[in-house]
Amino acid sequence: MAEEAPRRRSRGGGGAARRAERTSIKIETAKYIQRNIPNFEVLTQEALEIIEANADIILEEVGVNFVDNPAALQRWRDAGADVQGERVRIPRGLARKLCATAPSEFTQHARNQEKSVVIGGKNMVLAPVYGPPFVRDAKGGRRYATMEDFNKFVKLAYMSKWLHHSGGTVCEPTDIPVNKRHLDMLLAHMTLSDKPFMGSVTEPSRAQDSVDMCEILFGKEFVQNNTVMTSLTNINSPMTFDDVMMGSLEVYAANNQACIISPFIVGGAMAPVSVAGTLTQVLAEVMAGVAYSQLVRPGAPAIFGAFVSSIDMNSGAPTFGTPEASLITYGAGQLARRLNLPFRSAGSFCGSKLPDAQAAYETANSLNMGLLSGVNFMLHACGWLEGGLVADFEKFVMDADQLGTLHGLAKGVPVSEDDQAMDAIREVGPGGHYLGCAHTQANFKTAFWKSELLDYKPFETWEEEGARDTYALATNRVDYLLSNYQAPELDPEIRAALEAFVAEKKSASPDTFM
């Protein structure tokens, strides 16, 4: 029998296959975070009771304004509040009693049910930046946002593993009329992604359009019995509830859709300079807003929101990643849990003009603050720049990559038999190494979080590949993700119905840009 010739190792063998697997596009969405670590709490029991008592005093003695909204004033009168003009004074205990009917957690359904999220409890849902009128990227610089930019951000959010939510106004498309752009934005979220999304709040009729489009996407009965949208209801701090925001809240609450009741706080401008004073005002405002949502529909989902920054006393500009903002956020998380409400705060906040070292420091502080404070819904989790004026493409993918660290930290320290690694310690013994031991071989693929963006290569390799900094790597990452984007499947009849709804609504009124 002739001797068998030695086999050559194919270049397309195991190593090549593994490299191909590592570099191939996978559209994967991690499950929303479920914390296995304790919340960081800064307020003592005495401090909590003082702040809660003072918030009750504010509601009863100072009151809050519901402006240009006679229906809201009548609801408050019927509930037993003292209404004088547009000032509503809420008897002690009434707001807290009304807040008690809001659920402590709820499911927001996605059209892909595998991507539905549970908001509340020990969960944290991450959503992208919201609201900037400008965008920035390496190629075009800083400019007004367009609908094309908006679509790109929705695609990036869909492609980002660690983002659980598509968000809402990820940038403000200024090339579309103000009275019609919400239709294009909703259509983008519904067709370019299958993650959960947010509704429009810029006018009550636009909130109703959001509900109507969801009834096309999900079915009318499903929408009325389930939550499919989360919306952002900002309070005009200090203690003013305008008719636009409250009108949108009324639409959403009446249709069982979730509202984030969120004071907009810049310490020293819209709230006191002290942490305790700001927390008192935040609690009073949130309780009044959530209570009102329950007057519209008891049991409507509501989220305790707190957007917090301090102010630079020299320039008047908001500042981010500061210790004061962290203390307020930690304290607000405690107050939200005592109200038994889901908590929204934190994000990739920074005041920098570029995705530079300042942006990284401030963003890291803000993201970790959000995880440790017990945030359940984190809006602005990636892409925020220049105090929220800019949605930046490179920073979007930088932040989206770093959100993976929050998932890793939230796991805590498991102590299963495998995690104890006693077999590995016995196998290696003194003076050995763990690279080849059975435990390492069995776990190395999942043992450590791995960045899909940052460069850990040796200096020589890094230099040969162009000595690219993180900004250059992020530019490449944006291009890579967008060039490999594939839209999720959607029933053609539903798509056609959505497009027809948008076309009909657009044709029914002239364009306005104010």
Side-chain angles (χ1 to χ4, degrees), residues 63-143:
V64 296
N65 284 350
F66 278 74
V67 298
D68 298 324
N69 195 338
L73 299 176
Q74 189 57 51
R75 284 191 175 99
W76 279 115
R77 285 191 195 95
D78 294 343
D82 175 24
V83 180
Q84 302 293 330
E86 294 184 324
R87 182 70 58 90
V88 177
R89 292 179 174 84
I90 304 170
R92 185 180 299 267
L94 175 59
R96 191 172 293 272
K97 179 181 177 181
L98 290 169
C99 289
T101 62
S104 59
E105 67 176 43
F106 61 92
T107 298
Q108 183 186 347
H109 294 271
R111 69 174 176 92
N112 178 349
Q113 285 296 327
E114 293 181 359
K115 297 181 181 179
S116 297
V117 295
V118 179
I119 299 173
K122 292 187 176 182
N123 307 319
M124 182 162 74
V125 175
L126 302 173
V129 63
Y130 184 107
F134 300 100
V135 297
R136 175 187 283 278
D137 61 22
K139 299 170 185 175
R142 186 182 191 270
R143 61 189 186 280

Side-chain angles (χ1 to χ4, degrees), residues 65-351:
N65 284 350
F66 278 74
V67 298
D68 298 324
N69 195 338
L73 299 176
Q74 189 57 51
R75 284 191 175 99
W76 279 115
R77 285 191 195 95
D78 294 343
D82 175 24
V83 180
Q84 302 293 330
E86 294 184 324
R87 182 70 58 90
V88 177
R89 292 179 174 84
I90 304 170
R92 185 180 299 267
L94 175 59
R96 191 172 293 272
K97 179 181 177 181
L98 290 169
C99 289
T101 62
S104 59
E105 67 176 43
F106 61 92
T107 298
Q108 183 186 347
H109 294 271
R111 69 174 176 92
N112 178 349
Q113 285 296 327
E114 293 181 359
K115 297 181 181 179
S116 297
V117 295
V118 179
I119 299 173
K122 292 187 176 182
N123 307 319
M124 182 162 74
V125 175
L126 302 173
V129 63
Y130 184 107
F134 300 100
V135 297
R136 175 187 283 278
D137 61 22
K139 299 170 185 175
R142 186 182 191 270
R143 61 189 186 280
Y144 279 106
T146 66
M147 195 63 215
E148 181 182 0
D149 294 316
F150 186 95
N151 290 341
K152 288 180 179 178
F153 278 121
V154 173
K155 292 176 182 179
L156 289 175
Y158 170 66
M159 300 282 280
S160 297
K161 176 180 179 178
W162 306 113
L163 271 176
H164 318 114
H165 204 281
S166 192
T169 308
V170 286
C171 63
E172 192 75 43
T174 58
D175 57 335
I176 308 293
V178 169
N179 61 328
K180 299 177 181 180
R181 64 181 59 154
H182 67 288
L183 298 165
D184 293 282
M185 290 190 284
L186 282 162
L187 186 63
H189 283 301
M190 292 177 175
T191 59
L192 300 179
S193 177
D194 60 2
K195 294 183 179 181
F197 55 86
M198 302 176 73
S200 175
V201 293
T202 53
E203 208 275 332
S205 68
R206 297 168 198 164
Q208 187 60 54
D209 287 342
S210 304
V211 172
D212 293 343
M213 290 180 71
C214 280
E215 290 180 347
I216 295 172
L217 184 64
F218 291 95
K220 185 169 184 176
E221 183 177 353
F222 189 88
V223 170
Q224 291 305 313
N225 293 316
N226 298 277
T227 299
V228 299
M229 273 185 296
T230 302
S231 63
L232 178 60
T233 304
N234 278 130
I235 296 164
N236 289 342
S237 302
M239 297 172 291
T240 300
F241 297 76
D242 67 63
D243 60 319
V244 174
M245 285 281 130
M246 289 302 101
S248 297
L249 176 147
E250 289 159 10
V251 171
Y252 288 124
N255 287 279
N256 197 41
Q257 303 308 304
C259 291
I260 304 168
I261 314 298
S262 193
F264 190 93
I265 298 294
V266 178
M270 289 98 141
V273 295
S274 65
V275 170
T278 296
L279 282 170
T280 302
Q281 182 182 309
V282 166
L283 179 59
E285 292 178 350
V286 170
M287 284 201 299
V290 173
Y292 182 63
S293 75
Q294 302 307 295
L295 290 178
V296 175
R297 178 169 171 165
I303 300 173
F304 183 125
F307 175 89
V308 181
S309 73
S310 49
I311 192 171
D312 181 272
M313 288 298 183
N314 291 320
S315 67
T319 57
F320 300 93
T322 61
E324 295 78 19
S326 294
L327 291 170
I328 292 167
T329 305
Y330 293 135
Q334 290 180 257
L335 295 168
R337 289 188 287 278
R338 285 167 68 89
L339 274 176
N340 205 27
L341 290 171
F343 178 41
R344 170 259 162 159
S345 196
S348 60
F349 297 149
C350 66

